[in-house]
């Protein structure tokens, strides 16, 4: 059942990026999305070698067009990568990109001789596609307590820990929430459509900022709207945008990132290679979401936590279900996920309190968990009908009103809980190094939970309240 949601999200992303032809990979599977007709390479000698090799291969394949092979530029600067066109992006359907497949195949032997990767698909990095959220937000009455509730403590300008959130930006009325008094950054560019309806994934960055602020009062939070188009960006642009995000205010203590992609590999993303090398030389700790594929396949950049060169600089975070005892149905898992935190039905700030805002659900809930779990998970509850899922043209999607708080689920939201816990540990222990704080906090505060039969480190904020889960509700 999981691919259904993936295909729906694909349609949503394609509509938000109409000028970028996209394909599913590999072979129409629900694993990742990438740009049709292009591959990604390092600029310079690697790019020249890739061009020459692909042209020679295409000459021997009469159905492929050699003249399509050319650099698409302009190359990014600090990321040091460029795009090479290898086919007509307008040909084939969303599951068929034969020129890219042929180009990758042509380079395998050359990569073997070179002893390194030379080329990759140009993946779509996103909060939306199999990353987070695991469901859509649900309104919560503003009189209800946030979960986690705001921790006790004060903010001090001289000692506040700096947390940078690279996400969708802040809602325009975010300052109406007292919880976000020490939050700043970029605003969401467009919150609503022409009918005044909240767009999908809007409020994601604000919700995350609220979670950090609730767990760690002595934190200065900056939110960047790097992922503004339905939370998606091409890998070819992502590395440069990460550089821009840290350049604007300097390298933070903690970088909270709730986006990524799988790529079918175990050696990372070509597009963020330069950024990750520079991150390694800084003192910043990257806390990254493990993704919501319900899979053990590495999800990047979170999976850098499992590479020896980056294990001190990156902490990957999976999600626990609402009671905090077991893994959430949607959470990615495996040895590359280094810690888990509550990530199901958390309550935080979605908008400010200026006015109610309507939202129309895009995805219908399922009759059974799409990952095969047997508890009442966010796949099934609360029940609603969505625009993208409904096949009956006469069916009416459900609409709700948001006027402040919401509950929401995903590894995106487990991630800022962990970022906040590390920040709080730094303040409480007067620890200046976030990487040292991460190890000390895990040693002192981590309990355990069961995820897919394995006992894993679990971090549960002191003000977080477990929510009972039961068997799925019977359908009438």
């Amino acid at each position: 059942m999981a691919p259904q949601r993936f295909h729906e999200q694909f349609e949503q992303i394609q509509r938000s990026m109409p000028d970028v032809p996209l394909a599913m990979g590999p072979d129409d599977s629900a694993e990742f999305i990438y740009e049709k007709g292009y591959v990604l390479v390092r600029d310079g000698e690697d790019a020249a070698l890739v061009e020459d090799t692909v042209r020679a291969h295409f000459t021997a394949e009469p159905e492929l067009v050699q003249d399509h092979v050319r650099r698409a530029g302009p190359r990014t600067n600090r990321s040091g990568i460029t795009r090479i066109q290898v086919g007509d992006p307008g040909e084939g359907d969303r599951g068929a990109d034969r020129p890219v497949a042929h180009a990758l195949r042509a380079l395998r032997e050359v990569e073997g001789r070179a002893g390194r990767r030379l080329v990759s698909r140009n993946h779509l990095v996103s909060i939306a596609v199999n990353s987070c959220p695991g469901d859509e937000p649900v309104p919560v009455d503003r009189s209800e307590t946030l979960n986690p509730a705001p921790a006790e403590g004060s903010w001090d300008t001289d000692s506040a820990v700096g947390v940078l959130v690279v996400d969708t930006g802040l809602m325009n009325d975010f300052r109406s929430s007292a919880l976000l008094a020490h939050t700043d950054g970029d605003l969401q560019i467009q919150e609503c459509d022409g009918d005044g309806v909240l767009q999908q994934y809007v409020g994601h960055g604000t919700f995350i900022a609220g979670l950090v602020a609730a767990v760690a009062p002595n934190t200065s939070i900056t939110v960047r709207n790097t992922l503004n188009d339905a939370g998606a960006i091409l890998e070819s642009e992502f590395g440069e945008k990460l550089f821009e995000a840290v350049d604007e205010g300097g390298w933070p203590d903690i970088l909270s990132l709730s986006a990524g992609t799988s790529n079918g590999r175990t050696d990372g993303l070509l597009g963020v290679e330069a950024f990750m090398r520079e991150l390694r030389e800084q003192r910043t700790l990257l806390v990254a979401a493990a993704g919501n594929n319900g899979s053990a396949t590495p999800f990047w950049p979170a999976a850098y936590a499992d590479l020896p060169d980056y294990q001190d600089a990156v902490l990957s975070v999976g999600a626990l279900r609402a009671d905090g005892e077991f893994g959430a149905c949607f959470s990615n898992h495996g040895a590359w996920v280094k810690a888990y935190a509550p990530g199901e039905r958390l309550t935080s700030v979605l908008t400010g309190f200026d006015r109610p805002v309507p939202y129309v659900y895009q995805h219908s809930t399922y009759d059974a968990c799409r990952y095969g779990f047997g508890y009442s998970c966010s796949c099934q509850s609360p029940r609603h009908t969505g625009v993208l899922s409904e096949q009956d043209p006469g069916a009416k999607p459900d609409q709700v009103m948001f006027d402040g708080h919401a509950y929401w689920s995903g590894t995106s939201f487990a991630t800022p809980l962990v970022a906040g816990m590390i920040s709080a540990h730094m303040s409480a222990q007067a620890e200046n190094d976030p990487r040292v704080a991460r190890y000390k906090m895990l040693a002192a505060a981590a309990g355990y939970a069961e995820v897919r039969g394995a006992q894993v480190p679990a971090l549960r904020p002191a003000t977080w309240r477990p929510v009972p889960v039961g068997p799925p509700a019977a359908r009438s």
Side-chain angles (χ1 to χ4, degrees), residues 217-295:
N218 193 32
T219 304
S220 293
I221 304 167
T222 303
V223 181
R224 295 289 168 222
N225 62 5
T226 304
L227 305 170
N228 209 58
D229 285 333
I233 189 171
L234 287 172
E235 182 183 341
S236 56
E237 303 169 14
F238 187 47
E240 191 68 19
K241 290 296 185 180
L242 288 174
F243 276 124
E244 290 177 6
V246 298
D247 285 348
E248 190 159 351
W251 287 86
D253 295 306
I254 300 168
L255 171 55
S256 181
L257 178 64
S258 294
T261 181
S262 56
N263 65 353
R265 299 183 62 98
T266 59
D267 55 358
L269 297 176
L270 206 58
V272 300
E273 189 176 79
F275 178 83
M276 295 303 298
R277 284 199 303 266
E278 187 156 338
L279 170 72
R280 186 177 57 195
E281 303 306 315
Q282 303 292 330
R283 57 186 292 278
T284 297
L285 176 67
L286 171 61
V287 184
N292 296 342
N293 303 51
S295 168

Side-chain angles (χ1 to χ4, degrees), residues 52-105:
D52 291 345
T53 303
V54 174
R55 283 198 183 100
H57 175 81
F58 279 22
T59 300
E61 298 286 343
E63 75 275 21
L64 301 173
V65 181
Q66 186 196 54
D67 291 344
H68 281 153
V69 183
R70 58 183 181 272
R71 294 194 204 195
R75 69 182 176 92
T76 56
N77 295 322
R78 292 172 70 181
S79 291
I81 48 92
T82 191
R83 292 156 61 238
I84 293 181
Q85 183 175 343
V86 296
D88 181 356
E91 290 184 353
D93 59 27
R94 65 189 187 186
D97 193 354
R98 295 181 63 253
V100 166
H102 271 274
L104 296 174
R105 189 156 46 246

Side-chain angles (χ1 to χ4, degrees), residues 146 177 179-180 203 206-208 210 347-353 404-406:
L146 298 175
S177 172
L179 186 65
L180 302 180
T206 306
F207 195 92
I208 286 171
T347 307
S348 184
V349 179
L350 186 75
T351 70
F353 299 92
H405 296 162

